[in-house]
């Protein structure tokens, strides 16, 4: 490539990346609002202000677009959580509750809602299933790793790994409970109580009162 | 009504009840297998071996049929759980783990799967939403009540109510994690660990090591 061609190419790549990002963000918003049935490539392209042809250039199939969208937004969200982690209070002064709140927030926003529509669609759509299983593994692993790190949990202690997993499962259950109604007030009490139990459990590995 | 008419009427009522039950059970199976989109009254009627007219006589709308189905099967399932509760081991010899396993089983079978399809559909279908919120409240309340009873939990102690709620939320999250892949082995470890933490928590209300 000549220097001139390279100079022309860079802004084009930037534009292409920006288009891709707009499509991915629009896809997650769309899934969260209207569910899998209403989420077509055309609807997302329109929301993103992109032609349908351009959308299909980036994502040849509907499954490509939505799987990539949930993965992209999940990774962005996790990166944002990691970036804000230094604002967490130090251990022993409400840190555990702050971390549990942070995890639960990941599962109660529009990203979880979008993911939920995709997971449930994948239960009956073969074309989605394999990708969604891989996506779930990836996101689950990264979230678990972040939780272990922020909680300062030592997974070499028997039971600690399962305690952290139970926390993620509880957060997922709270996300589902928030789907149709605002479950916020009930959830706040559960987060507080869980944080107390978790702090005790992590201090001792297995409960040993 | 004459004695003769009453005698004719009783078997007819039995038949009508049996038809209704077959429709409700077929509706839950259908939802669990093919999701909300594929679940029409016609498909359920055929599976139940009932004419479409008879199905519509019992349930005028699709929403009537599926909401009633999940409610009916949930109540049946809870009644079966209550009936088998006397086989639980006594307190202190694995009872807590047996109860947690029992709760988690309620959230990982075909009934939960059917409910999940209905809840997610209700997020984008106005005609379903109000009924599903009412159904969720009813089933949630009854399951919570059963859990408190079987665990011997004293909800007058601060924090106990939230600990039991967290257990139900964790079970719901485990149900969701089991949607696309068999999560059984991971789940078994979490149930065991959580039962240990729960036993300690319920013995002391708030953790107080």
């Amino acid at each position: 490539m000549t220097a001139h061609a390279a100079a022309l190419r860079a802004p084009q790549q930037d534009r292409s990346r920006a288009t891709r990002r707009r499509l991915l963000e629009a896809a997650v918003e769309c899934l969260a609002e209207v569910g899998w049935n209403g989420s077509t490539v055309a609807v997302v392209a329109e929301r993103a202000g992109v032609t349908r042809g351009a959308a299909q250039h980036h994502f040849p199939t509907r499954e490509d677009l939505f799987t990539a969208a949930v993965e992209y937004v999940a990774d962005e969200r996790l990166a944002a959580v990691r970036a804000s982690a230094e604002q967490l209070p130090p251990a022993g002064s409400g840190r555990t509750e702050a971390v549990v709140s942070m995890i639960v927030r990941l599962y109660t926003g529009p990203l979880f809602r979008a993911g939920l529509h995709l997971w449930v669609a994948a239960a009956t759509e073969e074309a989605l299933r394999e990708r969604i299983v891989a996506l779930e593994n990836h996101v689950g692993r990264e979230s678990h790793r972040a939780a272990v790190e922020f909680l300062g949990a030592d997974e070499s202690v028997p039971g600690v790994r399962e305690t952290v997993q139970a926390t993620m499962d509880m957060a997922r259950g709270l996300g589902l409970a928030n789907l149709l109604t605002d479950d916020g007030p009930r959830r706040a009490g559960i987060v507080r109580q869980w944080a107390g139990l978790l702090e005790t459990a992590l201090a001792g590995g297995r409960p040993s009162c």
Side-chain angles (χ1 to χ4, degrees), chain A:
Chain A
M1 199 187 300
T2 66
H4 180 68
L8 277 177
R9 205 168 158 70
Q12 189 187 325
Q13 279 182 341
D14 287 350
R15 272 201 309 279
S16 174
R17 255 200 297 272
T19 300
R20 191 171 189 276
R21 195 166 54 234
R22 277 213 307 283
L23 283 166
L24 294 170
E25 280 164 3
V28 163
E29 287 167 21
C30 190
L31 261 183
E33 283 172 29
V34 301
W36 173 250
N37 282 333
S39 294
T40 62
V41 175
V43 166
V44 171
E46 194 186 334
R47 184 189 278 252
V50 167
T51 65
R52 191 159 167 191
Q56 270 165 342
H57 166 73
H58 284 278
F59 303 100
T61 71
R62 187 182 176 208
E63 289 76 17
D64 289 331
L65 171 58
F66 289 97
T67 311
V70 170
E71 182 155 25
Y72 170 79
V73 175
D75 284 342
E76 288 281 294
R77 201 66 57 91
L78 264 171
V81 162
R82 285 193 175 278
S84 69
E86 56 196 34
Q87 287 157 31
L88 285 170
S93 53
R95 183 179 177 94
T96 306
E97 188 173 333
V99 175
V100 174
S101 289
M102 185 189 255
I103 295 169
V104 167
R105 269 200 305 276
L106 280 176
Y107 284 90
T108 45
L111 172 63
F112 175 78
R113 197 173 283 262
L116 185 59
H117 282 290
L118 208 53
W119 290 330
V120 169
T124 56
E125 304 221 6
E126 263 325 303
L128 270 177
R129 180 187 289 259
E130 204 177 319
R131 290 163 195 250
I132 301 303
V133 169
L135 170 61
E136 201 178 325
N137 285 340
H138 166 74
V139 173
R141 203 166 42 235
E142 293 305 314
S143 314
H144 184 92
R145 191 174 298 167
V148 165
E149 195 182 313
F150 299 155
L151 290 168
D154 177 0
E155 291 200 300
S156 69
V157 176
V160 164
R161 183 172 174 75
E162 288 78 8
T163 298
V164 176
Q165 286 177 325
T167 304
M168 311 304 280
D169 285 303
M170 185 206 58
R172 196 185 298 114
L174 286 172
L176 191 49
N178 201 50
L179 182 66
L180 301 181
T181 50
D182 174 15
D183 192 40
R186 186 188 78 100
R187 188 166 64 237
I190 295 175
V191 164
R192 202 170 313 118
Q193 177 69 7
W194 185 277
L197 297 175
L198 184 58
E199 205 154 274
T200 306
L202 292 181
R206 290 188 179 277
S208 54
C209 293

